[in-house]
Amino acid sequence: MLRSTFLRASKKCSMPLYQSNLIGRSGIAGASFIGLRFKSDVPLTNVAQEASAKVSEIQTQLPSFDESTVEAASQVGQMVSDASNQIGYLSSIGMAKSWLWPPDLIQNVMEYIHVYAGLPWWGTICVTTVLARVVLFPLYVKYSDTLGRTSKIKPEMDKVNADLMACSDTTKAQQIALRRRKLLSENGIKNRYLIVPIVQIPIAISFFTSIRQMCLYPVEGFSTQGTAWFQDLTLADPYLGLQCLTAAMFVALARKGGESGAQQFSPQMKKVFTYLPILSIPVTMNLSAGVVLYLAVNGVCSMTQTLLLRNKAVRKFLNIAEVVNHPTPPGQGPPKGVFESFRESVQKARDQAEKRALMKEEEDKKKELAKKEKQNQRIKIVRRK
């Protein structure tokens, strides 16, 4: 029954059954078969012509770019390059939004230097780093002067600190603290300048964050406005030259007495500060060249500042106290190692905390007794007649 029905349907069709099978196997088959089904009144030749026209529209090669397309693309690139040389470009791409947040402040300063000085981005990074170090230089002058003045009274200060650590009486401890404060004021020592190295930490983090963000975006020009062997500031230094320069500067810095030129490191601490910069080379090898360029320039500025503050003529001109090296006491023995010194400092801090706790308990007891005596003095004895 099914076979007879199929034969009757094939007879009504406008072409033989074997032709429909052949067409169904070819690429035009689907189109012609659909045309016969939904457009039974359309001749087969018209359907085949439409299908072949559709197949001919498929392109087997990419379209060639003519001169107008290339010129339009170059014009777009030129427009982006011109926009990057205008104030406000960084804010248009989501950077340098504020003058209060440190990373945004640094990006704003770099943009102004880049636009008005006409420097490439590698020169902009160098100039901004040097400018920041020049602003911090007066604070380092005060810091070096404080260290020089402290070195003069080091024996007296060591004795006062030892007495303060060994004292267990509150009254005597207060007297020793007053004596220590008087010694500092007589020599013009202000301990607030000792936090100057800590001030540089948030500045360095802000520089690192801002330049890294500009390299990752990347900002227009960062990939082409490098120099020497690092032409692309967004990629890592291929020869690790900037990393080696940074490590060399910080090793020399530790040998010369730190950024103040007046710090006295023990031999063990000098070894630590020698190995740490060398270990930083593999840590920073994958950073962008723009970020490592800042670290290298900052290291060069630190070394230059150290050499200036170690110069006697410069110290005399800036009225900086000279560093006094006192001989080691005969009963002190050889210098201790890093871990031993750290362990001893922790033990001293623990002992001092225990003594302070005992002193506080005794002081609380004395206050309680004084309070009770005061209350007893208010009691009046009334005699009855």
Side-chain angles (χ1 to χ4, degrees):
M1 182 178 180
L2 292 173
R3 185 177 180 181
S4 61
T5 305
F6 181 77
L7 291 174
R8 286 196 301 269
S10 62
K11 289 179 181 179
K12 294 180 180 180
C13 185
S14 61
M15 66 177 177
L17 180 61
Y18 68 91
Q19 291 183 3
S20 63
N21 291 336
L22 291 175
I23 295 175
R25 294 173 186 175
S26 63
I28 311 173
S32 60
F33 185 76
I34 293 172
L36 289 173
R37 183 177 180 182
F38 294 100
K39 298 180 180 180
S40 58
D41 56 343
V42 179
L44 178 61
T45 55
N46 296 341
V47 175
Q49 290 177 0
E50 292 179 2
S52 61
K54 291 180 180 180
V55 173
S56 63
E57 291 178 358
I58 300 175
Q59 297 180 358
T60 59
Q61 295 181 356
L62 292 174
S64 61
F65 293 97
D66 53 0
E67 295 181 357
S68 60
T69 307
V70 175
E71 185 178 358
S74 62
Q75 288 179 358
V76 172
Q78 186 64 30
M79 289 173 61
V80 175
S81 179
D82 294 341
S84 64
N85 294 325
Q86 302 294 328
I87 299 297
Y89 165 70
L90 293 181
S91 63
S92 66
I93 60 176
M95 303 180 190
K97 296 180 180 179
S98 172
W99 286 89
L100 300 177
W101 185 244
D104 292 346
L105 172 63
I106 292 171
Q107 290 175 352
N108 277 312
V109 173
M110 290 178 64
E111 185 177 37
Y112 272 82
I113 293 175
H114 174 69
V115 172
Y116 288 110
L119 294 173
W121 279 116
W122 73 269
T124 303
I125 294 173
C126 295
V127 170
T128 309
T129 306
V130 173
L131 182 63
R133 295 308 302 255
V134 169
V135 173
L136 290 175
F137 184 73
L139 295 178
Y140 274 100
V141 170
K142 293 291 185 180
Y143 175 60
S144 181
D145 181 60
T146 302
L147 292 179
R149 293 176 184 272
T150 305
S151 65
K152 292 182 180 180
I153 60 172
K154 187 177 182 301
E156 292 85 351
M157 285 296 296
D158 292 342
K159 184 178 179 181
V160 171
N161 291 330
D163 294 340
L164 187 61
M165 291 286 292
C167 182
S168 58
D169 188 7
T170 306
T171 306
K172 291 183 179 179
Q174 291 177 354
Q175 292 176 357
I176 296 172
L178 289 174
R179 189 174 63 181
R180 181 175 179 273
R181 189 179 302 173
K182 182 179 179 181
L183 183 63
L184 293 174
S185 62
E186 287 177 353
N187 291 272
I189 299 174
K190 298 178 181 179
N191 289 331
R192 63 174 175 266
Y193 291 113
L194 296 177
I195 65 171
V196 171
I198 303 176
V199 174
Q200 191 179 353
I201 295 177
I203 297 176
I205 294 175
S206 301
F207 265 96
F208 179 86
T209 305
S210 59
I211 298 176
R212 186 169 181 268
Q213 184 184 11
M214 297 172 74
C215 291
L216 292 177
Y217 183 78
V219 171
E220 177 65 26
F222 261 61
S223 59
T224 57
Q225 297 181 13
T227 185
W229 65 91
F230 51 96
Q231 294 292 332
D232 193 344
L233 297 175
T234 63
L235 300 179
D237 186 353
Y239 303 107
L240 300 181
L242 295 174
Q243 285 85 347
C244 294
L245 177 61
T246 305
M249 289 296 102
F250 282 103
V251 169
L253 192 66
R255 297 289 180 178
K256 293 296 183 180
E259 292 182 325
S260 64
Q263 291 173 312
Q264 299 177 1
F265 298 116
S266 62
Q268 290 77 14
M269 292 301 295
K270 286 184 178 181
K271 290 181 180 179
V272 171
F273 290 137
T274 300
Y275 295 139
L276 281 180
I278 296 176
L279 294 176
S280 68
I281 295 177
V283 175
T284 59
M285 64 183 299
N286 292 324
L287 290 177
S288 303
V291 178
V292 189
L293 176 62
Y294 158 71
L295 297 176
V297 176
N298 188 48
V300 173
C301 292
S302 299
M303 191 61 199
T304 305
Q305 176 180 289
T306 300
L307 295 177
L308 285 175
L309 295 179
R310 285 178 63 88
N311 193 327
K312 293 184 177 180
V314 174
R315 295 183 74 90
K316 185 177 180 181
F317 176 76
L318 297 175
N319 195 20
I320 302 175
E322 293 292 334
V323 179
V324 179
N325 296 319
H326 297 279
T328 305
Q332 188 173 355
K336 300 178 182 179
V338 178
F339 296 102
E340 188 177 356
S341 301
F342 178 74
R343 194 181 302 111
E344 186 177 352
S345 300
V346 171
Q347 186 63 34
K348 286 182 178 179
R350 188 179 301 170
D351 295 340
Q352 188 176 8
E354 292 177 355
K355 289 180 180 179
R356 286 180 178 177
L358 292 174
M359 291 166 59
K360 187 176 181 181
E361 289 180 1
E362 292 179 359
E363 188 176 358
D364 292 341
K365 289 180 180 179
K366 290 181 179 179
K367 288 182 179 180
E368 189 67 25
L369 291 174
K371 186 177 180 180
K372 288 182 179 180
E373 290 179 359
K374 191 175 181 179
Q375 290 178 354
N376 292 333
Q377 290 177 359
R378 293 178 181 178
I379 298 174
K380 294 181 180 180
I381 299 175
V382 180
R383 294 181 180 180
R384 294 183 179 180
K385 295 183 180 179

